[in-house]
């Protein structure tokens, strides 16, 4: 009897270990000068465009498939208040989410649009600004139990942006507010369309990036410890789909996610001491079968 109990214990332990298998492949490290990459976009020429967050230059960088710097583009009319994610539209125009808001006290939230033709031909560009605000936020900052208005994650679908906020509240419960913003010049009231729940551990489940697949059928969300997928959703209700989550083995400061294709994701993390600062690849199939 004791032998059977021991055997069952070993099997359960082995099973739990298997669920934490590392399913990511390291592709390459970022150049040493890029320690705080917060957003990525892979263009049609297989160049990886990246941005860094607050305190860094008002520049975006293009890397080749080996992680070597190929081009630097300065945004001449914009300051890097807190650039937190990159996304793109069907014409390959690039968008920078300047909506990082750690203290929940910013009132100059915006999205910067970089024209695709400018990105290809110039090293200095002028961005178009799309400004927005959260109507639900009345205090700057709000109470510590309601710090819901930081954001590090968005994507384009149709003629709108979808922003997932990063919850910094005391008593973190995994709530991310989901907002819809028109993709046009102006100052817009962001439309609250729902809430997305992760888990109750801030270090593992605060949302840091978002992406949508090229076929517009799958949404991926990144946290430091997990990847979340939303599938089979309605285009007029992105939270209506099937939601699943998958653990990542290493709890590093993961800041960016994108679809390399409909079945493969690229992730990245910030460099911290001797860890991170790398680009990783993972297939959705591996996430579903091995993580």
């Amino acid at each position: 009897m004791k032998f059977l109990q021991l055997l069952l214990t070993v099997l359960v332990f082995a099973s739990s270990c298997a669920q934490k298998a590392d399913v990511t492949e390291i592709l390459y490290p970022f150049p040493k000068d890029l320690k705080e990459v917060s957003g990525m976009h892979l263009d049609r020429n297989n160049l990886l465009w990246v941005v860094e967050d607050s305190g860094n230059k008002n520049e975006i960088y293009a890397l080749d498939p080996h992680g070597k710097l190929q081009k630097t583009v300065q945004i001449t009319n914009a300051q890097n208040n807190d650039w937190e994610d990159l996304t793109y539209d069907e014409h390959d125009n690039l968008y920078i989410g300047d909506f990082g808001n750690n203290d929940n006290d910013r009132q100059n939230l915006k999205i910067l649009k970089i024209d695709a033709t400018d990105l290809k031909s110039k090293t200095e560009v002028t961005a178009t600004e799309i400004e927005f605000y959260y109507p639900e936020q009345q205090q700057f900052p709000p109470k510590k139990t309601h710090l819901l208005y930081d954001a590090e994650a968005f994507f384009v679908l149709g003629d709108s942006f979808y922003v997932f906020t990063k919850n910094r509240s005391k008593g973190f419960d995994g709530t991310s507010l989901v907002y819809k913003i028109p993709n046009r010049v102006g100052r817009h009231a962001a439309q609250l369309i729902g809430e997305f729940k992760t888990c109750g551990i801030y270090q593992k489940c605060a949302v840091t990036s978002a992406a949508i697949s090229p076929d517009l059928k799958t949404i991926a969300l990144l946290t430091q410890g997990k990847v979340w997928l939303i599938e089979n959703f309605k285009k007029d209700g992105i939270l209506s789909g099937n939601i699943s989550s998958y653990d990542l083995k290493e709890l590093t400061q993961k800041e960016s996610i994108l679809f390399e294709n409909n079945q493969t994701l690229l992730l990245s993390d910030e460099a911290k001491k001797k860890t991170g600062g790398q680009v990783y690849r993972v297939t959705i199939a591996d996430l579903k079968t091995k993580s």
Side-chain angles (χ1 to χ4, degrees), residues 118-183:
D118 287 346
L119 204 58
K120 291 178 182 178
S121 60
K122 299 179 180 179
T123 57
E124 294 185 354
V125 301
T126 301
T128 301
E129 295 188 352
I130 301 162
E131 300 176 282
F132 71 95
Y133 63 95
Y134 304 114
E136 289 71 27
Q137 182 174 7
Q138 301 297 315
Q139 296 177 302
F140 299 85
K143 295 179 180 179
K144 291 183 179 180
T145 55
H146 206 67
L147 297 177
L148 295 168
Y149 302 104
D150 185 17
E152 298 186 2
F154 79 139
F155 60 84
V156 175
L157 179 59
D159 58 1
S160 299
F161 302 102
Y162 290 84
V163 175
F164 287 72
T165 69
K166 184 176 184 178
N167 187 337
R168 292 185 178 272
S169 301
K170 181 179 180 181
F172 177 85
D173 66 354
T175 298
S176 172
L177 302 181
V178 186
Y179 282 95
K180 184 178 181 180
I181 301 165
N183 184 1

Side-chain angles (χ1 to χ4, degrees), residues 172-174 198-206 223-226 251:
F172 177 85
D173 66 354
T198 56
C199 78
I201 306 171
Y202 176 82
Q203 290 82 1
K204 192 173 185 179
C205 287
T223 70
Q224 289 192 24
K226 290 176 175 285
L251 195 63

Side-chain angles (χ1 to χ4, degrees), residues 89 93-96 111-115 126-130:
D89 62 22
N93 298 311
L94 192 64
Y95 299 88
I96 303 171
I111 295 167
L112 306 174
K113 177 182 178 181
I114 314 299
D115 187 87
T126 301
T128 301
E129 295 188 352
I130 301 162

Side-chain angles (χ1 to χ4, degrees), residues 243-261:
I243 299 173
S244 53
S245 68
Y246 306 94
D247 286 337
L248 298 170
K249 182 181 179 182
E250 298 295 337
L251 195 63
T252 58
Q253 190 169 337
K254 296 179 182 69
E255 292 284 340
S256 188
I257 192 168
L258 64 83
F259 281 87
E260 185 177 31
N261 53 55

